[in-house]
Amino acid sequence: MKDRAEARTLAGDAYAVIHRAIRSGLLQPGQRLRFAELQALCGMSVSPVREALVRLTAEGFTVSDDHRGFSVAPLSIAELLDIVGTRKLLEGEALRLSIEHGDSDWEGRLLAAHHVMSRLPRERDDMPSAMREDWDLRHADFHRILISACRSPILIEMCEKLFVRADRYRRLSISVPNQSRDVVCEHERIMALALDRNAEEAVAALKQHYQRTADAVQRLFETQEAL
Amino acid sequence: MKDRAEARTLAGDAYAVIHRAIRSGLLQPGQRLRFAELQALCGMSVSPVREALVRLTAEGFTVSDDHRGFSVAPLSIAELLDIVGTRKLLEGEALRLSIEHGDSDWEGRLLAAHHVMSRLPRERDDMPSAMREDWDLRHADFHRILISACRSPILIEMCEKLFVRADRYRRLSISVPNQSRDVVCEHERIMALALDRNAEEAVAALKQHYQRTADAVQRLFETQEAL
DNA sequence: GGCACCCGCATTTTCGAAAATCCTCTGCTC
DNA sequence: GAGCAGAGGATTTTCGAAAATGCGGGTGCC
């Protein structure tokens, strides 16, 4: 994740700042992005800001309109369903390959990542946002490691991009109370099946895991008519 | 394909020019890209050239090294196999969905694209390169239309990117004589099965089609030790 | 002799302003 | 009143130079 590797260029900083602003909601879906504001936000000149926007556009976080600048990519149920469907396909296959090729080192990293994640609370309201941020990172690590042994860099990269792209939607789902889901349990089950080398059921569990998150967000959309 | 939509900005032109230079081999894999040269090639200042490189890097055609500039992404057997494997997964599923959802308009466009393509010769040595370029475009259209009814914009976009990314390798395979393959026939078979709504066999034929191209290029690599 | 440091050159990266483009509002014509 | 042309302003895009960074050679020190 480019966010964490601290950038050695201003353009990298700008990318991180704007990316975070979009994910946090400071810059809202559909909002037009003016260079003047972004320069103020990032504290730099137009060149690195523009470079950041070009990169964000390539990754689907912003959209560009020639000579009319950039705006934050809008959210939609259609995109959510598309992202989830594609993730089920890609990560499902990546997990299957990981289970096929993974060695004991992979198993160890998986166990470790899950352990760290399970030690953090997820949705306590009194939880400081820093901790919630931390949970997000661990959660991302867990899913990353799950597919890390698939031996296909392209697949990994695509899954990573979709994961980040799904993040804006995932943040909405957290605000849904009483989901009657035990997310921790779902993760545990996926891991157990993976370690058992039960590819079929592990893939099915992973797909179900994503579908449930999608369903939760979709319900939220429909009730709030947030779109 | 961004190449064909004539760009309304210089950065778009630069993207097209450099992209073409990489695909044609004018800029070779691994070669370092200096701004001075690229500015001369594109006939413009540094800003749009840099923007083009950022975009190309996001798509995997170039790689960037902070404060040390850009270079053309190297070719490798590993990457070729990775691209082909991922394409089989993605386009296989996209074709399955297209067959499921495609209407008669889709069938018509598919027939038309195949007809136009079949009227162009592919590998005549005396063929002017403009015509070969034309065949490439029609070939791309055919594959694009094949999956165009899958109703997943993300899947389509990913397939498009992989298609373009595979192009550098595909150009190598054309230089292999006597492939004992009837590419025209393969395309015909895929189309016939798709129109027949025989998803299973159509997907299998498509995957085989890609695997054969991969095999041809791999043999070329190994004999020439071009890597 | 070998190693570390510093300086100058080549190159990338960033800046601030100029040029180009788009949007809006006004005024004119039909 | 509707519609088009054009000026003015806002904004993006591009330029050319300045700043920052990395690389290689040379010098001094151990």
Side-chain angles (χ1 to χ4, degrees):
Chain A
M1 230 160 141
K2 283 167 188 165
D3 268 311
R4 273 184 290 171
E6 69 261 42
R8 307 182 53 73
T9 63
L10 286 186
D13 289 340
Y15 175 90
V17 169
I18 299 173
H19 194 255
R20 209 178 342 259
I22 290 175
R23 298 204 308 172
S24 75
L26 176 64
L27 301 173
Q28 299 228 334
Q31 177 179 346
R32 177 150 178 217
L33 298 171
R34 287 190 180 77
F35 280 94
E37 299 168 23
L38 294 181
Q39 285 179 62
L41 179 66
C42 300
M44 59 189 69
S45 178
V46 63
S47 311
V49 170
R50 184 175 177 83
E51 178 167 335
L53 288 175
V54 169
R55 278 160 63 178
L56 287 165
T57 298
E59 290 172 16
F61 292 104
T62 54
V63 294
S64 98
D65 205 350
D66 282 348
H67 291 287
R68 272 188 281 175
F70 300 80
S71 53
V72 181
L75 297 180
S76 70
I77 295 184
E79 196 203 27
L80 167 67
L81 295 178
D82 197 2
I83 290 174
V84 172
T86 311
R87 288 188 75 197
K88 282 162 71 176
L89 175 67
L90 291 185
E91 293 205 29
E93 181 67 12
L95 176 58
R96 190 191 315 279
L97 290 169
S98 254
I99 290 173
E100 184 181 335
H101 298 303
D103 56 11
S104 62
D105 176 64
W106 170 68
E107 295 174 355
R109 286 184 295 127
L110 192 53
L111 276 166
H114 182 268
H115 175 78
V116 173
M117 180 174 65
S118 68
R119 289 295 164 195
L120 288 171
R122 176 159 174 265
E123 27 188 339
R124 296 271 302 281
D125 284 336
D126 57 338
M127 179 170 70
S129 71
M131 184 168 279
R132 183 171 288 174
E133 197 68 40
D134 202 29
W135 190 89
D136 279 347
L137 288 174
R138 303 308 173 187
H139 180 225
D141 280 342
F142 175 74
H143 280 282
R144 223 189 317 273
I145 289 171
L146 205 52
I147 65 168
S148 65
C150 74
R151 299 193 182 174
S152 169
I154 291 177
L155 213 44
I156 289 175
E157 190 192 311
M158 286 182 161
C159 288
E160 177 72 27
K161 281 186 180 170
L162 284 181
F163 185 92
V164 180
R165 201 162 157 186
D167 193 65
R168 290 200 290 165
Y169 294 96
R170 193 162 39 244
R171 276 162 194 269
L172 295 178
S173 96
I174 289 182
S175 65
V176 179
N178 258 345
Q179 287 191 54
S180 70
R181 284 177 69 191
D182 191 341
V183 175
V184 175
C185 182
E186 286 178 32
H187 286 139
E188 234 159 48
R189 177 143 184 277
I190 293 168
M191 181 180 66
L193 288 166
L195 294 176
D196 243 25
R197 307 286 168 170
N198 187 338
E200 285 312 310
E201 290 196 36
V203 170
L206 182 68
K207 289 184 178 179
Q208 198 179 44
H209 176 61
Y210 288 141
Q211 190 58 54
R212 281 185 178 155
T213 305
D215 290 344
V217 179
Q218 189 172 7
R219 274 195 300 277
L220 182 71
F221 258 87
E222 281 165 358
T223 55
Q224 293 200 350
E225 202 55 51
L227 176 53
Chain B
M1 227 159 145
K2 285 168 188 166
D3 266 311
R4 272 185 290 169
E6 69 261 42
R8 305 183 52 74
T9 64
L10 285 186
D13 289 340
Y15 175 90
V17 169
I18 299 172
H19 193 249
R20 210 179 340 260
I22 290 174
R23 299 205 307 173
S24 75
L26 175 65
L27 301 173
Q28 299 227 336
Q31 177 179 342
R32 179 152 176 215
L33 297 171
R34 287 188 180 78
F35 280 94
E37 300 169 20
L38 294 181
Q39 284 180 61
L41 180 67
C42 300
M44 60 188 72
S45 180
V46 64
S47 311
V49 170
R50 184 175 177 82
E51 178 167 334
L53 288 175
V54 169
R55 279 160 62 179
L56 287 164
T57 299
E59 291 172 15
F61 293 103
T62 54
V63 293
S64 100
D65 205 349
D66 281 349
H67 291 287
R68 270 189 284 176
F70 299 80
S71 53
V72 181
L75 297 180
S76 71
I77 295 183
E79 196 203 28
L80 167 67
L81 296 178
D82 197 1
I83 290 174
V84 171
T86 310
R87 286 188 77 197
K88 283 161 71 177
L89 175 68
L90 292 185
E91 293 207 29
E93 180 66 12
L95 176 58
R96 191 191 315 279
L97 290 169
S98 255
I99 289 173
E100 185 182 332
H101 297 305
D103 56 11
S104 61
D105 177 63
W106 170 68
E107 295 175 355
R109 286 185 296 127
L110 191 54
L111 275 166
H114 182 270
H115 175 77
V116 172
M117 179 174 65
S118 68
R119 289 296 163 191
L120 289 170
R122 177 160 173 265
E123 28 189 339
R124 295 273 302 282
D125 284 337
D126 56 340
M127 180 170 69
S129 71
M131 185 168 278
R132 184 171 287 175
E133 195 69 40
D134 203 29
W135 192 89
D136 279 347
L137 288 175
R138 303 308 173 186
H139 181 226
D141 280 342
F142 175 74
H143 280 282
R144 220 189 319 273
I145 288 171
L146 205 51
I147 64 169
S148 65
C150 73
R151 300 193 182 174
S152 169
I154 292 178
L155 212 45
I156 289 176
E157 191 192 310
M158 287 182 160
C159 288
E160 178 72 28
K161 281 184 180 168
L162 283 180
F163 185 92
V164 179
R165 201 163 157 184
D167 193 65
R168 289 202 289 167
Y169 294 96
R170 194 163 38 245
R171 275 161 194 270
L172 296 177
S173 96
I174 288 181
S175 64
V176 179
N178 259 345
Q179 288 191 51
S180 70
R181 282 178 70 192
D182 190 342
V183 174
V184 175
C185 182
E186 287 179 30
H187 286 138
E188 234 158 48
R189 179 144 180 277
I190 293 167
M191 180 179 69
L193 288 166
L195 293 177
D196 244 24
R197 308 286 167 170
N198 188 337
E200 284 313 308
E201 291 196 37
V203 169
L206 183 67
K207 289 183 177 177
Q208 196 179 46
H209 176 61
Y210 288 141
Q211 189 58 54
R212 281 185 177 155
T213 305
D215 290 343
V217 179
Q218 188 172 7
R219 275 197 299 277
L220 183 71
F221 257 88
E222 280 166 358
T223 55
Q224 294 200 351
E225 202 56 50
L227 176 53

